[in-house]
Amino acid sequence: MTTPSLDLEARAHSEHAQELRLWLRLLTCSQLIEKRVRACLREQFDTTLPRFDLMAQLERHPEGLKMKELSHRLMVTGGNVTGITDQLVTEGLVERMGVDGDRRAFRVRLTDRGRASFVDMAQQHEQWIVEAFEGLNARDLDSLHKLLGKVKQHQLELNRKLDE
Amino acid sequence: MTTPSLDLEARAHSEHAQELRLWLRLLTCSQLIEKRVRACLREQFDTTLPRFDLMAQLERHPEGLKMKELSHRLMVTGGNVTGITDQLVTEGLVERMGVDGDRRAFRVRLTDRGRASFVDMAQQHEQWIVEAFEGLNARDLDSLHKLLGKVKQHQLELNRKLDE
DNA sequence: TATTGTTATACTCTATAACTATA
DNA sequence: TATAGTTATAGAGTATAACAATA
């Protein structure tokens, strides 16, 4: 290259343009859907995505999850889980229960009210998501799920290597 | 359903489980990759993703973009673009140029230094992205790109309808 | 009146690091 | 010493609304 300029056209002809285009498109898709979900959660339920995500985790673990487990599943650090949990406890949607044999830890779980509230939101949420993927038939949905499975698996391997 | 509980297994058998699973996976993938890209931008270049994205837009429009255009392309509101642009101007990486015939507007464009800086970052960025998609062969990359194209198209249509 | 861009503000989300209590 | 969780803090990222200048 004779000039210091590396414009998109130049990159578009490079060896790895396919990966870059794919990443930009993946990011755009998830941002578009996420923006809509956040806005709907805000407007219809006056809540946020991290709060919804935390409750979704608890909903599939009726026995409760420890703060550490929540932190790992939500991919955020511990302090944030404490903050969101505190909010939800204040609103009576989740509760902290003691753990037998370890007085440092808690199990966090949905209260009855929290479960009812989540079921409400989850039903709406399902509709938003179905709407988001209306453009795809069942076979497309399956292909996309499988391909993203490969992507996800690879990210987890990369993270595992970094942790060593 | 006889109990108020709607656990994941129940939802997993519902009509729309496929869409929900796909959405969760899509979100996880983009979050995993995005986290890595943000961390690398921070560590290696002491910058952020929105700053990188703004510069990327300018890099592919050497003639410059108006604030309004940047706001639309970056999918954020105007105030934020002003803030990021101010930072980059202070650092001498971009500049505001007048627009002939409209004294309200500016063209924002990369300075020579900004362009050089971006080229540097873009080369590294390309490596991170290539690494992120190593698990996929060329055909997978293409399929994924096409399928996400359908998803993107549909989101844009949904947004268009909302704007009417 | 409508549009371009800026300013001011507030809130959510996040990571980091120091801390307490328990293992 | 190590681990579970909390607290305090700072900064990124964002939206909203009021504003100035120009169209």
Side-chain angles (χ1 to χ4, degrees):
Chain A
M1 205 166 328
T2 56
T3 73
S5 159
L6 173 79
D7 76 8
L8 228 233
E9 288 307 303
R11 280 195 282 148
H13 295 121
S14 87
E15 210 178 343
H16 301 305
Q18 213 179 358
E19 286 90 340
L20 281 173
R21 280 198 305 262
L22 174 55
W23 167 234
L24 292 178
R25 183 162 286 184
L26 175 61
L27 190 55
T28 301
C29 286
S30 69
Q31 281 179 352
L32 285 168
I33 300 175
E34 202 180 325
K35 264 181 203 289
R36 185 187 303 275
V37 170
R38 281 183 198 274
C40 290
L41 282 174
R42 167 70 57 205
E43 288 161 20
Q44 296 185 29
F45 299 103
D46 190 30
T47 192
T48 65
L49 193 52
R51 284 167 54 111
F52 179 81
D53 286 342
L54 192 152
M55 292 178 75
Q57 290 296 334
L58 297 184
E59 203 267 339
R60 71 170 96 169
H61 294 279
E63 76 286 4
L65 286 171
K66 292 197 287 186
M67 301 299 277
K68 199 71 186 291
E69 291 170 334
L70 276 169
S71 165
H72 177 248
R73 284 167 192 276
L74 298 172
M75 296 194 280
V76 297
T77 51
N80 306 306
V81 176
T82 297
I84 296 173
T85 301
D86 285 348
Q87 289 176 24
L88 296 173
V89 167
T90 302
E91 298 169 32
L93 300 173
V94 311
E95 56 189 351
R96 287 182 171 91
M97 312 287 289
V99 168
D100 290 348
D102 188 344
R103 287 193 298 173
R104 295 170 307 179
F106 299 103
R107 278 176 306 129
V108 185
R109 67 179 197 191
L110 291 175
T111 62
D112 288 344
R113 208 178 126 217
R115 187 174 306 273
S117 164
F118 179 77
V119 169
D120 235 29
M121 293 191 290
Q123 282 171 353
Q124 284 298 309
H125 178 260
E126 180 172 303
Q127 287 186 26
W128 306 329
I129 299 308
V130 168
E131 195 179 32
F133 291 111
E134 266 171 1
L136 277 61
N137 59 36
R139 214 181 121 206
D140 287 342
L141 291 174
D142 191 55
S143 304
L144 198 41
H145 190 260
K146 283 201 177 73
L147 287 166
L148 290 173
K150 288 193 192 183
V151 176
K152 177 175 170 184
Q153 207 49 47
H154 187 60
Q155 305 318 305
L156 296 180
E157 280 166 29
L158 288 176
N159 283 348
R160 198 161 38 71
K161 279 179 195 163
L162 279 184
D163 284 345
E164 283 165 6
Chain B
M1 207 168 321
T2 56
T3 73
S5 158
L6 172 79
D7 77 8
L8 228 232
E9 288 308 302
R11 279 196 283 148
H13 296 121
S14 89
E15 211 177 344
H16 301 304
Q18 213 180 359
E19 285 90 341
L20 281 173
R21 279 199 305 261
L22 174 54
W23 166 235
L24 292 179
R25 184 162 286 184
L26 175 59
L27 190 57
T28 301
C29 284
S30 70
Q31 281 180 352
L32 285 168
I33 299 175
E34 203 179 324
K35 264 179 202 289
R36 185 188 303 275
V37 170
R38 282 183 197 273
C40 289
L41 281 174
R42 167 69 58 205
E43 288 161 20
Q44 296 185 30
F45 298 103
D46 191 29
T47 192
T48 66
L49 193 51
R51 285 167 54 113
F52 180 81
D53 287 343
L54 192 152
M55 292 178 76
Q57 290 297 334
L58 297 184
E59 204 266 341
R60 71 171 97 170
H61 294 277
E63 75 288 2
L65 286 171
K66 292 198 287 186
M67 300 300 276
K68 198 71 186 289
E69 291 170 333
L70 276 170
S71 165
H72 176 251
R73 284 166 191 278
L74 297 172
M75 297 193 281
V76 296
T77 51
N80 304 306
V81 176
T82 298
I84 297 173
T85 302
D86 286 348
Q87 289 176 25
L88 296 173
V89 167
T90 302
E91 297 170 33
L93 300 173
V94 311
E95 56 189 351
R96 287 181 172 92
M97 312 287 290
V99 167
D100 290 348
D102 188 344
R103 287 193 298 172
R104 295 171 307 178
F106 299 104
R107 279 177 303 129
V108 184
R109 66 180 198 190
L110 290 175
T111 61
D112 288 344
R113 206 177 127 217
R115 187 174 306 273
S117 164
F118 180 76
V119 169
D120 235 29
M121 294 191 289
Q123 283 172 352
Q124 284 298 308
H125 179 260
E126 181 172 304
Q127 287 186 25
W128 306 329
I129 298 308
V130 168
E131 194 178 33
F133 291 111
E134 267 170 0
L136 277 62
N137 59 37
R139 213 180 122 206
D140 288 341
L141 292 173
D142 191 56
S143 304
L144 198 42
H145 190 260
K146 283 200 175 76
L147 287 167
L148 289 173
K150 291 191 189 183
V151 176
K152 178 176 170 183
Q153 207 50 46
H154 185 61
Q155 305 318 305
L156 296 180
E157 281 165 27
L158 288 177
N159 282 348
R160 199 160 38 71
K161 280 178 195 165
L162 277 185
D163 285 344
E164 282 166 5

